[in-house]
């Protein structure tokens, strides 16, 4: 089912990769002089034949659209516009020309930056990037309103190259408000079901630009039972030897308690080795084990990782995920796989009572009775 796109007459619109101006002209013809469409391009013939600023400008003049449109020479991955300026951002047969994938993500980041909250991002494109775009837009907090791959009528040069359309609504208000709501009201629980755990791990890995980092944060937090604040402040030197091999144990001081803590790293040794290779491939040179991809001199923050976990919860329809999920999940798995040795878990979590640990694990009386029902007392 197709949708009808309503363009208010006073809309402010940005067209990425304008080229010959077909999309720009279409939008400019639907708005009044109170609206405006800006088209940007690098005007390269390799992207589109006879692509030039001069010829597109002449076309706008011929159609008497100069009073409601203009052209600029600019790069999609570094837009020269202010934040939250545009009601619509469009990109027609343009983003697939950007290489490598990380730069396509930058183009989507920039489109998001200049788009108003609740504004629409409209992508018409070709190639095998539809799933890539959708996953990344969802991770950025967009609501996907329309996504369709066209059949034979949408072939681009032939059946081996289909075209598709995506319309997504920027929804940053939901993210910011949701963060505050969840911080106040959300109850974070351990992931008790192994199938759900696998889904969360796969989503962390596959649905984000820095998926390998996000997945490894989760794995390390789950295996070491560290608080999220301590996980984020781990340094490479805490876990890696100079030759890139993994230390058998790491020694840190807990941020909250100030106490020394010995981390046993063998359970995540393989994950850390793969992650080390990823850091090298991404050329992320930082003292931090989990650096920000945009500011490698800084580590990822707790709030940023909360948003990651909240997105995973939204994608999977799980309402109990948060930054404590990894620690609670690790503790729960120790509890169930150690024959319910609550004393061991209490020690690992540095709690002062078993009651505190049971509450932390979300084990109410009904849960404990369910477990007891499964035990053969003879």
């Amino acid at each position: 089912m197709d949708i009808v796109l309503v363009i208010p007459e006073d809309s402010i619109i940005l067209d990425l990769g304008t080229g010959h101006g077909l999309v720009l002209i279409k939008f400019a013809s639907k708005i009044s002089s109170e609206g405006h469409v800006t088209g940007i391009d690098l005007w390269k013939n390799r992207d589109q034949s006879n692509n030039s600023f001069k010829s597109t400008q002449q076309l706008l003049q011929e159609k008497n659209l100069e009073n409601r449109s203009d052209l600029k020479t600019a790069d999609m991955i570094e837009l020269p516009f202010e934040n939250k300026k545009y009601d619509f951002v469009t990109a027609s047969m343009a983003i697939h020309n950007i290489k490598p994938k990380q730069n396509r993500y930058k183009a989507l980041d920039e489109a998001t930056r200049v788009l108003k909250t609740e504004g629409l991002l409209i992508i018409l494109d070709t190639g095998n990037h539809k799933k890539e775009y959708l996953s990344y837009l969802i991770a950025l907090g967009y609501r996907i309103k329309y996504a369709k791959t066209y059949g034979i009528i949408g072939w681009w040069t032939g059946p081996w190259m289909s075209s598709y359309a995506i319309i997504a609504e920027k929804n940053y208000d939901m993210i910011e408000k949701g963060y505050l709501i969840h911080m106040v009201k959300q109850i974070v629980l351990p992931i008790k079901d192994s199938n759900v755990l696998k889904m969360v791990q796969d989503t962390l890995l596959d649905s984000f630009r820095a998926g390998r980092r996000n997945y490894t944060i989760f794995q390390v937090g789950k295996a070491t039972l560290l608080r999220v604040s301590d996980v984020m402040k781990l340094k490479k030197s805490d876990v890696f030897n100079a030759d890139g091999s993994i230390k058998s144990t790491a020694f840190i001081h807990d941020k909250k308690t100030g106490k020394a803590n010995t981390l046993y790293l063998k359970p995540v040794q393989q994950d850390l080795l793969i992650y080390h290779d990823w850091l090298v491939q991404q050329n992320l040179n930082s003292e931090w084990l989990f650096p920000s991809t945009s500011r490698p001199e800084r580590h990822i923050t707790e709030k940023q990782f909360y948003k990651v976990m909240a997105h995973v919860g939204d994608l999977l329809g799980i309402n109990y995920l948060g930054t404590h999920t990894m620690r609670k999940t690790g503790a729960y798995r120790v509890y169930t796989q150690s024959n319910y040795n609550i004393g061991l878990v209490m020690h690992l979590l540095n709690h002062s009572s078993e009651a505190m640990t049971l509450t932390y694990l979300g084990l109410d009386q009904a849960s404990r009775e369910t477990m007891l029902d499964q035990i053969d007392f003879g």
Side-chain angles (χ1 to χ4, degrees):
M1 176 179 174
D2 289 333
I3 65 172
V4 176
L5 192 62
V6 177
I7 310 296
E9 291 187 348
D10 59 351
S11 296
I12 306 300
I13 303 167
L14 176 63
D15 183 38
L16 305 177
T18 291
H20 296 157
L22 298 181
V23 172
L24 183 150
I25 289 169
K26 185 78 172 177
F27 277 90
S29 64
K30 292 181 177 294
I31 60 175
S32 68
S33 58
E34 294 181 1
H36 196 84
V37 185
T38 296
I40 67 115
D41 207 316
L42 291 175
W43 315 106
K44 294 179 179 178
N45 284 323
R46 72 183 184 193
D47 294 336
Q48 191 175 34
S49 61
N50 301 316
N51 188 18
S52 76
F53 182 103
K54 184 177 180 180
S55 60
T56 304
Q57 183 67 51
Q58 184 176 347
L59 190 59
L60 295 179
Q61 292 172 352
E62 292 172 358
K63 294 185 176 291
N64 297 316
L65 294 173
E66 299 167 275
N67 67 329
R68 64 189 72 175
S69 65
D70 71 313
L71 302 176
K72 294 185 183 298
T73 300
D75 194 331
M76 278 186 276
I77 68 173
E78 193 172 357
L79 296 174
F81 307 116
E82 64 192 62
N83 296 348
K84 298 184 179 181
K85 179 176 181 178
Y86 296 99
D87 300 295
F88 297 86
V89 174
T90 67
S92 177
M93 300 300 172
I95 299 178
H96 74 275
N97 289 319
I98 302 173
K99 296 177 178 61
K101 178 171 72 174
Q102 298 302 324
N103 282 347
R104 290 195 290 276
Y105 287 148
K106 287 181 181 179
L108 295 176
D109 285 341
E110 280 292 271
T112 301
R113 179 181 65 78
V114 302
L115 186 62
K116 293 177 181 178
T117 299
E118 299 184 353
L120 292 184
L121 174 61
I122 303 168
I123 299 174
L124 305 174
D125 215 339
T126 186
N128 300 316
H129 307 306
K130 180 183 175 185
K131 183 178 178 181
E132 170 190 309
Y133 297 159
L134 287 172
S135 295
Y136 193 66
L137 290 174
I138 290 170
L140 286 175
Y142 279 86
R143 181 184 291 113
I144 306 302
K145 299 179 73 69
Y146 180 83
K148 182 175 180 178
T149 300
Y150 296 100
I152 189 169
I153 60 171
W155 285 354
W156 185 256
T157 73
W160 52 87
M161 193 76 79
S162 62
S163 60
Y164 47 86
I166 297 170
I167 301 176
E169 181 183 47
K170 179 177 172 179
N171 204 25
Y172 265 14
D173 277 352
M174 179 190 73
I175 296 174
E176 295 301 329
K177 293 176 183 175
Y179 175 74
L180 296 174
I181 291 170
H182 280 296
M183 288 296 285
V184 174
K185 296 184 178 179
Q186 186 193 28
I187 298 175
V188 177
L189 298 173
I191 301 170
K192 300 177 182 179
D193 187 306
S194 293
N195 292 323
V196 174
L197 177 60
K198 181 66 165 57
M199 290 168 58
V200 168
Q201 290 167 321
D202 289 346
T203 304
L204 281 166
L205 190 60
D206 298 333
S207 298
F208 299 88
R209 181 175 63 177
R212 176 59 61 181
R213 181 201 62 193
N214 297 340
Y215 169 85
T216 308
I217 289 172
F218 185 81
Q219 292 296 91
V220 169
K222 178 164 58 70
T224 62
L225 305 189
L226 283 177
R227 294 178 179 84
V228 63
S229 57
D230 293 317
V231 175
M232 298 309 166
K233 292 194 175 181
L234 286 173
K235 294 185 177 181
K236 282 184 183 176
S237 58
D238 290 327
V239 301
F240 292 115
N241 294 309
D243 62 358
S245 61
I246 309 298
K247 295 180 179 180
S248 58
T249 54
F251 303 95
I252 69 164
H253 282 82
D254 289 347
K255 178 182 176 183
K256 183 175 181 178
T257 66
K259 295 180 179 179
N261 196 346
T262 302
L263 310 180
Y264 183 55
L265 298 174
K266 187 175 180 181
V268 284
Q269 186 176 54
Q270 190 59 35
D271 288 327
L272 285 168
L273 287 172
I274 295 172
Y275 177 62
H276 184 274
D277 290 342
W278 181 84
L279 287 173
V280 173
Q281 292 168 6
Q282 299 297 313
N283 197 28
L284 281 172
N285 298 313
S286 174
E287 66 173 318
W288 302 106
L289 181 60
F290 300 117
S292 163
T293 53
S294 59
R295 301 285 297 274
E297 71 276 10
R298 300 179 179 180
H299 60 73
I300 182 175
T301 66
E302 293 175 46
K303 181 174 179 179
Q304 287 169 330
F305 193 66
Y306 171 82
K307 290 182 178 181
V308 169
M309 293 302 297
H311 281 315
V312 172
D314 289 341
L315 290 171
L316 298 178
I318 301 172
N319 65 359
Y320 57 81
L321 300 184
T323 53
H324 284 276
T325 298
M326 49 193 181
R327 188 175 191 235
K328 289 190 175 188
T329 300
Y332 180 81
R333 293 177 77 81
V334 171
Y335 178 59
T336 56
Q337 295 177 43
S338 65
N339 292 318
Y340 310 110
N341 188 340
I342 193 63
L344 171 62
V345 181
M346 182 183 79
H347 172 72
L348 292 172
L349 293 174
N350 199 25
H351 285 171
S352 59
S353 71
E354 292 185 1
M356 180 188 296
T357 301
L358 287 169
T359 301
Y360 183 79
L361 294 178
L363 296 172
D364 55 18
Q365 183 63 30
S367 300
R368 295 196 292 274
E369 289 175 357
T370 299
M371 288 182 176
L372 288 171
D373 287 342
Q374 299 172 7
I375 295 175
D376 182 4
F377 288 99

